[in-house]
Amino acid sequence: MKIRNIFTLCLTIFPILMTYETPIKGIAYGDLILLLLYPFLFYKIISEKRKVKDIVYFPLVILFLYLLVYYLLLAFIDAKLFSETSIKFIHNLFYLFTLSFFVKSFYDIDIGYKVLKVVSIVATFFLFIQIMGVTIFHIYIPGTLPGVPVMRDELELFNETVMGSNMVIRPRSIFNEPAEYATYTSLFLAVELFLSKKEHKSIRNYWCEIIVTIGLVVSKSSTGIVCAFFFGVYTL
């Protein structure tokens, strides 16, 4: 598999990869894969002698530099707050650096769209299965891989205790939170409705969008419901 394809796949399913913890404590698979890709990405850029303007996405570079200066100033102004947010700070810079310097050259939009579509549809059908399991059979089917440690203890606790609690059950599909599912699938809907070109505007051409929109509503995520309403109004 080409490095471009691996990079595209990693970024497109990044929220899912960030759910699981590697054998290295505190490091998610998403972070680890990106770090392992870095030498190959840099090598390809250097070996092909690409110009800076061809690889850099300048709006994100400006944001990257802004955050860098902001956190450096924070280190001098409030060292305690800086130490408390240092891990998050490093993560943010790491992700922004990746987007700023590698996406323009290595992200394959066609492959990314296909992966986004497949994951959105699969995640939505799994959400339906979770909802049916809860409402009909009174069981909750976790969306995490069995035996693989997760980054958040809260997610594991939710999977184990949700049916015995009095809380409103909001299935999460294969994501950490209902809001993550809603955000991910809303991105797919946005691409489908605003960027893709449908030759014939019939219901059959929009079956994927209809299924995902239903998923947004039944996910009980406020983000999902708002997005579903917005997309529904747009298509009228």
Side-chain angles (χ1 to χ4, degrees):
M1 185 180 288
K2 295 180 180 179
I3 192 71
R4 181 183 176 90
N5 296 350
I6 298 173
F7 180 75
T8 301
L9 178 62
C10 178
L11 280 197
T12 310
I13 63 171
F14 195 74
I16 300 172
L17 293 175
M18 291 302 294
T19 301
Y20 301 98
E21 187 177 45
T22 65
I24 306 172
K25 187 68 175 177
I27 302 294
Y29 277 98
D31 290 336
L32 181 61
I33 293 173
L34 279 183
L35 285 172
L36 292 176
L37 285 175
Y38 261 46
F40 299 98
L41 298 174
F42 277 118
Y43 172 77
K44 196 165 184 64
I45 288 174
I46 294 171
S47 63
E48 294 179 358
K49 298 180 180 179
R50 299 187 184 185
K51 297 180 180 179
V52 174
K53 66 177 182 179
D54 295 329
I55 64 173
V56 171
Y57 188 62
F58 284 101
L60 288 179
V61 172
I62 294 172
L63 180 59
F64 172 82
L65 294 175
Y66 167 77
L67 283 179
L68 180 61
V69 172
Y70 171 81
Y71 277 109
L72 289 176
L73 289 174
L74 183 64
F76 288 101
I77 298 172
D78 193 336
K80 182 179 179 181
L81 180 60
F82 175 79
S83 63
E84 292 174 352
T85 60
S86 59
I87 300 298
K88 186 176 181 179
F89 153 67
I90 294 172
H91 269 118
N92 288 338
L93 288 184
F94 174 57
Y95 302 144
L96 267 177
F97 183 87
T98 301
L99 295 175
S100 302
F101 292 92
F102 297 128
V103 165
K104 192 174 180 180
S105 296
F106 296 104
Y107 191 84
D108 189 309
I109 295 177
D110 292 332
I111 294 176
Y113 164 73
K114 291 176 182 177
V115 174
L116 178 66
K117 181 176 182 178
V118 169
V119 173
S120 296
I121 294 172
V122 170
T124 299
F125 275 113
F126 188 77
L127 182 76
F128 294 157
I129 292 173
Q130 285 182 318
I131 293 172
M132 286 190 293
V134 170
T135 56
I136 299 175
F137 303 105
H138 304 290
I139 59 172
Y140 181 76
I141 305 171
T144 53
L145 296 174
V148 182
V150 294
M151 289 291 292
R152 297 173 55 199
D153 294 335
E154 182 272 336
L155 178 59
E156 189 171 352
L157 181 64
F158 175 85
N159 291 338
E160 294 174 353
T161 63
V162 61
M163 292 307 299
S165 66
N166 295 322
M167 68 174 72
V168 176
I169 300 175
R170 300 166 62 209
R172 308 173 179 208
S173 186
I174 55 177
F175 295 89
N176 270 308
E177 293 283 350
E180 279 193 17
Y181 161 80
T183 302
Y184 192 92
T185 52
S186 292
L187 177 60
F188 162 70
L189 283 180
V191 171
E192 279 290 296
L193 296 177
F194 300 138
L195 300 180
S196 66
K197 297 179 180 179
K198 302 283 188 181
E199 294 182 0
H200 305 288
K201 293 186 177 181
S202 64
I203 293 179
R204 286 185 302 175
N205 283 7
Y206 288 98
W207 72 269
C208 292
E209 293 90 325
I210 293 171
I211 289 173
V212 172
T213 301
I214 294 172
L216 286 174
V217 175
V218 300
S219 69
K220 298 179 182 178
S221 164
S222 55
T223 302
I225 294 172
V226 170
C227 289
F229 174 78
F230 175 78
F231 292 132
V233 171
Y234 175 80
T235 55
L236 293 178

